[in-house]
Amino acid sequence: MTTAQKTLRSVVLGVGCYLPSRCVSNADMEKMVDTSDDWIVQRTGITQRYIAAEGETTSMLGLNAAKAALENAGVAASDIDLIIVATSTPDYTFPAVATQIQAGLGLQTGVAFDLQAVCSGFVFAVATADKFLISGSHKRALVIGAETFSRLLDWEDRTTCVLFGDGAGAMVLEAQEGEGTAQDRGVLTSHLRSDGRHRAKLYVDGGPSTTQTTGHLRMIGKEVYRHAVGMVTDVMLDAFKATGTSAQTLDWFVPHQANRRIIDSSAEKLGIAPEKVVTTVDRHGNTSAASIPLALCVAVADGRIQKGQLVMIEAMGGGFTWGSALIRW
Ligand code: ACO
């Protein structure tokens, strides 16, 4: 007698998020640099962003998001055996933010580590957690995107400082048995890519092994924009092909929230209907690795994303790195 081969899937049990209390509007930005609400809204769609308070660190934001996700999932912290934090703005060069969140949750078991893929970090972290869970080595993962990008900004450079914000979002994933079809709940597929030749288009001009300073974010915005739409649509097409799904069968498109124009162009290129696009860049700005879980959190809280629906997440960021993950909620 043969037994059926079981397929493990990483199923989403819940999401949570956290934003600092200080909201900075475009009018506030006008007082800091030579810019205007009109310019920012027209080029990016951003109207406001949240900025962490002095002394409020990435691990603090991440811990709050993690607690919210555990509550939303109905899971105790002690049930988590894997924590992955996607961040490019750790509290310290080391130890990892993930281990600080692990301690903050009162955990002394399991494994916790950080992953750095800039704005693609959350997609990379979901894909990584998925590999652990479907291998059977771990049972329940907390995947967190947490950033204090405000600390990397040159507040005198109007071309970058108006674009970014701080925040954190988290997701609880659990290994569950599926049938191995696209009807299963869970992460159905993920596709990650990188190309280090693009380093100079988006980078931070400091670090422990170069300047021994934190440095500031530098970006050639036009160059990033030029590559973004093609790269993210490529990896979404990979996800559709791998699962036999399509833009038409998608319920929600939850892209990295960098820029309204990139989001709209990507959706249009693939024929994703505008009403299926979850957009939070207007309220949050670009929060790098935190932007997707923040957007997921908003769309779950307001009742848009429902169990059983097909959700595409994708991102592109410094490196360049880019990737997609298709999830049946
Ligand atoms: N306020 C007013 N004027 C500004 C500002 C500002 N904040 N910033 C730049 N300008 C001016 C420039 O100086 C320039 O003036 P000039 O013509 O007199 O020289 C003019 O506006 C146009 O500047 P561009 O850089 O050509 O503006 P562009 O249309 O390319 O828009 C933007 C800039 C919004 C950054 C765009 O290039 C973009 O969205 N790029 C993608 C960036 C992005 O999304 N990065 C994040 C993705 S990866 C990640 O998330 C880390």
Side-chain angles (χ1 to χ4, degrees):
M1 196 174 88
T2 54
T3 46
Q5 184 84 34
K6 68 177 181 181
T7 302
L8 283 175
R9 294 288 197 190
S10 307
V11 174
V12 179
L13 297 186
V15 289
C17 53
Y18 184 80
L19 287 162
S21 56
R22 184 175 162 221
C23 182
V24 175
S25 68
N26 288 350
D28 296 326
M29 294 300 311
E30 287 174 2
K31 293 176 201 138
M32 295 184 223
V33 285
D34 180 15
T35 191
S36 66
D37 177 52
D38 262 7
W39 191 95
I40 302 171
V41 171
Q42 273 177 24
R43 309 276 171 140
T44 71
I46 299 167
T47 64
Q48 59 173 47
R49 72 286 291 145
Y50 293 83
I51 302 293
E54 207 182 322
E56 192 173 32
T57 65
T58 295
S59 67
M60 292 176 191
L61 303 182
L63 179 59
N64 283 318
K67 287 178 176 169
L70 288 170
E71 194 181 330
N72 181 251
V75 164
S78 55
D79 290 332
I80 298 293
D81 55 4
L82 172 66
I83 301 174
I84 305 179
V85 176
T87 189
S88 304
T89 47
D91 303 12
Y92 299 100
T93 302
F94 71 78
V97 170
T99 58
Q100 292 166 83
I101 292 176
Q102 180 192 30
L105 291 172
L107 291 176
Q108 292 147 35
T109 54
V111 62
F113 60 88
D114 287 359
L115 183 156
Q116 205 265 62
V118 203
C119 297
S120 311
F122 188 76
V123 177
F124 276 52
V126 166
T128 305
D130 180 48
K131 310 283 184 214
F132 276 77
L133 295 180
I134 65 173
S135 78
S137 69
H138 292 72
K139 178 73 180 154
R140 261 175 236 98
L142 195 47
V143 183
I144 303 165
E147 302 278 19
T148 46
F149 249 57
S150 62
R151 308 265 154 79
L152 285 181
L153 298 175
D154 174 351
W155 285 94
E156 290 179 0
D157 176 9
R158 68 174 182 173
T159 69
T160 52
C161 74
V162 301
L163 304 174
F164 296 90
D166 302 334
M171 173 185 273
V172 179
L173 290 170
E174 180 179 76
Q176 292 182 7
E177 269 183 47
E179 302 295 326
T181 73
Q183 293 312 309
D184 287 348
R185 286 187 65 211
V187 177
L188 300 177
T189 190
S190 60
H191 301 267
L192 307 182
R193 294 204 211 158
S194 57
D195 184 346
R197 291 174 302 168
H198 298 284
R199 190 196 82 91
K201 296 177 182 114
L202 179 55
Y203 67 105
V204 170
D205 62 5
S209 127
T210 49
T211 58
Q212 294 86 56
T213 62
T214 304
H216 290 119
L217 181 145
R218 305 293 175 203
M219 178 170 74
I220 308 171
K222 264 199 190 332
E223 284 294 312
V224 177
Y225 194 100
R226 200 163 68 80
H227 288 88
V229 176
M231 285 176 162
V232 298
T233 50
D234 266 4
V235 283
M236 285 196 277
L237 288 171
D238 288 345
F240 290 137
K241 195 170 165 201
T243 52
T245 58
S246 68
Q248 286 66 45
T249 55
L250 213 56
D251 292 295
W252 298 107
F253 173 43
V254 188
H256 169 49
Q257 308 284 320
N259 180 306
R260 180 86 211 210
R261 290 187 298 165
I262 296 176
I263 294 172
D264 290 347
S265 304
S266 310
E268 196 184 318
K269 190 169 171 190
L270 292 187
I272 300 169
E275 60 273 17
K276 293 181 176 179
V277 183
V278 175
T279 310
T280 49
V281 67
D282 53 335
R283 284 162 284 162
H284 300 163
N286 180 350
T287 57
S288 188
S291 91
I292 292 173
L294 273 162
L296 288 170
C297 189
V298 167
V300 167
D302 67 20
R304 273 180 288 176
I305 297 181
Q306 299 282 339
K307 208 184 235 189
Q309 290 186 327
L310 198 56
V311 180
M312 172 73 83
I313 63 173
E314 59 78 0
M316 180 258 190
F320 291 150
T321 55
W322 66 108
S324 69
L326 189 61
I327 304 169
R328 188 167 298 282
W329 209 259

